[in-house]
């Protein structure tokens, strides 16, 4: 106690709003300062960036006290109360409303330095937020000022901005994110960052067409056309979302959530007897199902139904649901890689080395290997495969890959033709046959066919896609925006995703267009949160979709390389899903049991449906890696209505549906505190309207927001 020095007293800040923001009495406004995002105020860094300062519990890392004694309660997931071992400042200081200096305790040595006036005002604004004596904690939770002093101190360290000592005093330090939501660094940097943003997420845009089009019986030319269409729809829907959706810098594109339902519809017994035009016929069925389900999603967002569903969606629900999406394709990944092991393994190893072992290497200030792990791995593997093909490694005399195996008489060729088909890079003529100019247009595959049973399957899928988007909205807003969005902004984003998927159905991409989960990883890695960069990248993607040779080039990627990339992308998707648990108390046995049960049953229950009544070799026309998607022909549900059998057998064979059902029931019925569950806390509407930074972040442009200002469930 002899070494204790009370904190320095300083004048209380003026009335709210402070003079630094409201202007002086003479009417001369003070210079405007850019609002800090939640990430910059707390010093938060995403784990995926490789520079995380998160604690073992997944919460925000608090400044370490100099005195020993702090502990960690693994059951409750809370830091032990070590403050009792520290001397307390005089009660009078707290009673007078003078803030303590613990937030700056790690800066400038031992003594606590007073904050400058403008920083004091900003700290107070960030902690108040117009929200009834509440600030924002690690997950957007309110930190009330009427809590005990010791508890409030621990929470304030996670809400106040970090400080950095400079000449003449202290200044707010911009951490982790280089450019926030409304920053515009200039045309040249925006152009560069726009290209970088889309290259880092390119794998998510191109891989789904490379899987579903061959499954539908499409040619390489069909793959090229679908890839061009995906680029066009992704660019258009991204612009729509950044202008009229949540306005967060999130790329829209084909989601892996829709991949399993699309494969189930493609492998439906209804299409097994088709002899010609399989691709166009199945695509029209997918278009019809997508249009109906997307209209359902748009209605759910714009009518306020999303606000009801939002009460059930929390990190403990989002985490296993999204993880199950990535884990559900394990039967496809390495099964395809094994067709040409030396090429597929090189692809996987290169991506792993770039994204993990070389992730901290910087070239011209940019972590090239981490940001461009997928395109770099693909390019190098393609070059190796090209050299092996040109050197004759995969040439076998007298064998032609274009002759079906059933017509091949030589046993030698029957053995080596599959290897030639999967390992060579010159088996596709898509690049030569693709036109230089191609304009994607609606209904290019024909008039959509509407089937109620397939539409129901897609409607349930749209709910899972909504769960995925909620987690992405929350995580990305904490990185780049001043506050999390309101429930109305979130509903508006879901409604716009529904409209985006309607466009995807009309143009014919095969799957819905939603917010890609990989956006959070891309923002954390590139440190680019400006929506201007994403918008410019979307414009470039639209222009790129008109160049038919680009789609032809992508369509010529060997399927073994595609499978290798998918192994990495699906693993990343599962990891990103589980990373949502950092907003909850990961040390809690309640959360661990719920997530564990959700993941286990998401694998076990679909396996039961997929294996029920399955006769070995009875469906030899379907590849082994597509066997899980023909469950409708042999599933356990056998009612008098084939349509009901299709819906029930198909839905219960989806890993993500089982994970969502188990998690949402347990998380909302098993008792647990809001802190333990990590309940998502969204900004209040009235408080957001009073704070200019939040208004500028999320308000609709061109004064469109004023028209819908009375619609509380979608407005700001």
């Amino acid at each position: 106690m002899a070494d204790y020095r009370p904190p320095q007293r300083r004048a209380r800040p003026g009335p709210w709003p402070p003079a630094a923001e409201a202007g002086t009495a003479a009417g001369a406004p003070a210079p405007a300062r850019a609002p800090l995002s939640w990430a910059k105020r707390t010093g938060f860094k995403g784990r995926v960036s490789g520079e995380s300062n998160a604690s073992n519990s997944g919460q925000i890392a608090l400044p370490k006290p100099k005195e020993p004694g702090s502990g960690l309660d693994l059951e409750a997931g809370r830091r032990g109360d070590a403050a009792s071992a520290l001397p307390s400042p005089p009660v009078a200081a707290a009673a007078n409303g003078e803030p303590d200096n613990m937030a700056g305790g790690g800066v400038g040595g031992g003594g606590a330095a007073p904050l400058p006036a403008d920083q004091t005002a900003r700290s107070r604004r960030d902690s108040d937020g117009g929200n009834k004596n509440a600030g924002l904690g690690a997950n957007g939770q309110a930190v009330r000022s009427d809590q005990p002093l010791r508890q409030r101190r621990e929470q304030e360290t996670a809400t106040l901005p970090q400080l950095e000592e400079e000449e003449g005093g202290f200044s707010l330090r911009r951490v982790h994110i280089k450019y926030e939501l409304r920053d515009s660094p200039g045309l040249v940097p925006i152009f560069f960052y726009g290209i970088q943003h889309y290259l880092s997420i390119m794998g998510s845009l191109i891989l789904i067409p490379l899987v579903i089009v061959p499954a539908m019986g499409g040619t390489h030319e069909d793959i090229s056309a679908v890839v061009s269409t995906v680029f066009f729809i992704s660019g258009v829907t991204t612009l729509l979302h950044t202008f009229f959706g949540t306005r967060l810098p999130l790329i829209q594109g084909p989601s892996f959530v829709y991949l399993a339902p699309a494969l189930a519809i493609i492998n439906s017994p209804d299409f097994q007897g088709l002899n010609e035009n399989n691709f166009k016929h199945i695509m029209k069925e997918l278009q019809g199902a997508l249009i109906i389900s997307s209209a359902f999603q748009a209605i759910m967002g714009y009518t306020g139904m999303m606000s009801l569903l939002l009460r059930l969606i929390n990190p403990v629900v989002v985490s296993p649901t999204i993880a199950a999406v990535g884990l559900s394709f394990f039967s496809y990944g390495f099964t395809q890689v094994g067709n040409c092991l030396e090429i597929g393994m090189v692809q996987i190893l290169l991506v792993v080395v770039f994204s993990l072992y070389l992730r901290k290497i910087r070239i011209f200030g940019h972590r090239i290997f981490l940001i461009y792990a997928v395109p770099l791995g693909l390019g190098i593997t393609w070059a190796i495969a090209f050299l092996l093909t040109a050197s004759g490694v995969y040439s076998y005399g007298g064998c032609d890959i274009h002759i079906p195996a059933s017509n091949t008489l030589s046993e030698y060729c029957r053995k080596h033709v599959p290897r030639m088909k999967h390992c060579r890079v010159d088996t596709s003529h898509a690049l030569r046959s693709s036109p230089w100019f191609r304009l994607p247009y609606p209904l290019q595959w024909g008039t959509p066919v509407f089937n109620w049973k397939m539409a129901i399957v897609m409607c349930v899928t749209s709910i899972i896609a909504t769960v995925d988007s909620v987690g992405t909205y929350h995580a990305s807003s904490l990185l780049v925006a001043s506050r999390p969005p309101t429930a109305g902004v979130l509903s508006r984003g879901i409604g716009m995703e529904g409209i985006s998927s309607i466009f995807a159905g009309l143009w014919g991409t095969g799957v819905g267009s939603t917010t890609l989960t990989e956006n959070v990883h891309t923002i954390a890695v590139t440190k680019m949160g400006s929506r201007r960069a994403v918008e410019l990248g979307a414009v470039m993607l639209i222009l790129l979709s008109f160049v038919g040779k680009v789609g032809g080039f992508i369509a010529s990627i060997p399927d073994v390389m595609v499978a290798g990339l998918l192994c990495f992308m699906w693993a990343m998707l599962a990891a990103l899903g589980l990373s949502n648990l950092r907003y909850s108390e990961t040390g809690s046995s309640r959360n661990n049991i719920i997530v564990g049960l959700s993941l286990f049953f998401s694998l076990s229950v679909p396996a039961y449906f997929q294996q029920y009544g399955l006769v070995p070799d009875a469906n030899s026309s379907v590849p082994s890696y597509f066997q899980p998607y023909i469950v409708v022909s042999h599933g356990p549900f056998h009612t008098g209505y084939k349509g009901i059998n299709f819906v029930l057998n198909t839905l219960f064979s989806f890993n993500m549906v089982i994970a969502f059902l188990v998690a949402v029931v347990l998380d909302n019925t098993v008792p647990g505190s809001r802190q333990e569950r990590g309940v998502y806390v969204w900004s209040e509407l009235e408080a957001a309207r009073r704070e200019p930074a939040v208004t500028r972040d999320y308000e609709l442009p061109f004064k469109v927001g004023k028209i819908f200002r009375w619609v509380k469930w979608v407005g700001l």
Side-chain angles (χ1 to χ4, degrees), residues 204-206 208-209 230 234 252-256 258 509 511-514 516:
S204 301
L205 297 176
I206 67 174
I208 289 182
V230 165
S234 177
Q252 309 294 295
S255 173
F256 285 115
Y258 285 92
T509 61
V511 295
S513 181
T514 64
L516 298 177

Side-chain angles (χ1 to χ4, degrees), residues 121-137:
R122 183 174 299 277
S123 300
R124 185 174 172 188
R125 184 195 69 183
D126 291 338
S127 61
D128 290 346
N131 211 359
K132 290 187 178 181
N133 299 327
L136 291 178

Side-chain angles (χ1 to χ4, degrees), residues 331-349:
S331 62
Y332 181 89
F334 205 80
T335 304
Q336 286 288 83
V337 172
N339 290 327
C340 187
L341 202 58
E342 63 270 25
I343 299 298
M345 283 302 301
V346 167
Q347 176 73 84
I348 295 175
L349 290 176

Side-chain angles (χ1 to χ4, degrees), residues 211-223:
V211 173
I212 65 173
V213 175
M216 288 189 281
T219 63
H220 290 287
E221 289 74 17
D222 295 327
I223 298 176

Side-chain angles (χ1 to χ4, degrees), residues 314-381:
N314 295 306
V316 180
V317 176
V318 173
S319 181
T321 302
I322 305 309
V325 175
L327 296 175
S328 62
F329 299 106
F330 67 91
S331 62
Y332 181 89
F334 205 80
T335 304
Q336 286 288 83
V337 172
N339 290 327
C340 187
L341 202 58
E342 63 270 25
I343 299 298
M345 283 302 301
V346 167
Q347 176 73 84
I348 295 175
L349 290 176
L350 281 175
V351 176
V352 169
V353 169
F354 290 154
S355 60
L356 293 178
Y357 294 98
L358 304 181
R359 72 186 189 277
K360 293 186 178 181
I361 296 179
R362 296 177 181 271
I363 300 178
F364 301 112
H366 299 276
R367 292 188 291 173
I368 301 296
F369 295 105
L370 178 59
I371 296 173
Y372 304 117
V374 170
L376 281 176
L378 177 61
I380 295 175
T381 307

Side-chain angles (χ1 to χ4, degrees), residues 412-687:
Y412 174 81
C413 289
R414 287 183 181 179
K415 177 181 178 181
H416 292 99
V417 162
R419 182 173 177 81
M420 295 173 62
K421 181 179 179 181
H422 293 292
C423 296
R424 295 180 67 93
V425 296
D426 59 353
T427 59
S428 170
H429 302 288
L431 185 59
R432 290 198 301 267
S433 60
S434 297
W436 278 102
F437 177 79
R438 189 182 191 281
L439 179 63
Y441 57 93
L443 307 182
Q444 56 188 330
W445 314 117
T447 305
V449 177
F450 299 95
N451 190 313
W452 70 269
K453 61 183 181 182
M454 298 178 184
I456 292 178
V457 171
M458 282 297 187
C459 285
V460 176
T461 304
S462 68
I463 296 177
I464 306 298
T466 297
V467 174
D468 181 11
S469 297
V470 168
T472 305
Y473 292 166
H474 184 268
S476 60
S477 68
L478 297 184
L479 288 174
V480 303
S482 56
R483 288 284 190 271
T486 64
V489 171
L490 188 143
S491 297
R492 190 177 72 202
I494 297 300
M496 182 52 65
E497 286 193 12
I499 294 178
S500 300
S501 293
I502 291 177
F503 287 155
L506 290 173
W507 264 257
T509 61
V511 295
S513 181
T514 64
T515 299
L516 298 177
T517 312
E518 296 84 347
N519 275 290
V520 178
H521 174 266
T522 300
I523 293 174
V525 169
T526 62
K527 302 183 179 181
M528 165 52 64
S530 171
R531 59 173 163 238
R532 294 289 178 262
V534 174
E535 290 165 357
L536 182 59
V539 172
M540 291 187 289
L541 195 65
I542 293 174
L543 297 177
L544 200 64
S545 69
F546 299 149
V547 184
K549 291 295 183 182
V550 174
F553 177 76
I554 294 173
S556 61
I557 300 176
D559 54 359
V560 172
M561 297 185 195
V562 174
L565 291 177
L566 285 172
C567 288
F568 178 81
M569 297 301 298
W570 286 331
M572 176 67 72
L573 184 61
L576 288 174
L578 292 175
S579 69
N580 283 276
L581 287 175
R582 69 183 183 272
Y583 302 117
S584 65
E585 293 183 351
T586 53
S588 167
S589 61
R590 172 195 181 275
N591 296 345
N592 292 338
I593 292 174
I594 292 176
V595 173
L597 288 174
S598 302
L599 287 177
F600 177 80
F601 284 116
S602 73
L603 298 175
S604 184
V605 173
Y608 166 75
F609 276 78
Q610 294 162 7
Q611 298 171 12
Y612 184 89
L614 183 63
V615 180
D617 299 328
N619 296 282
S620 56
S621 61
V622 179
S624 60
Y625 45 82
F626 285 149
Q627 290 288 333
Y629 306 106
I630 60 171
V631 64
V632 64
S633 61
H634 58 80
F637 284 104
H638 294 284
T639 65
Y641 301 95
K642 292 184 178 180
I644 295 179
N645 296 341
F646 178 91
V647 172
L648 294 178
N649 286 324
T650 301
L651 288 178
F652 282 97
S653 67
F654 292 159
N655 307 72
M656 58 187 179
V657 172
I658 301 301
F660 172 71
L661 291 177
V662 174
V664 76
V665 170
L666 293 180
D667 185 51
N668 288 279
T669 56
V670 177
S673 66
R674 292 175 62 86
Q675 179 183 358
E676 183 179 17
R677 297 170 63 194
V679 175
Y680 288 139
V681 178
W682 310 98
S683 299
E684 295 292 336
L685 178 60
E686 296 302 325

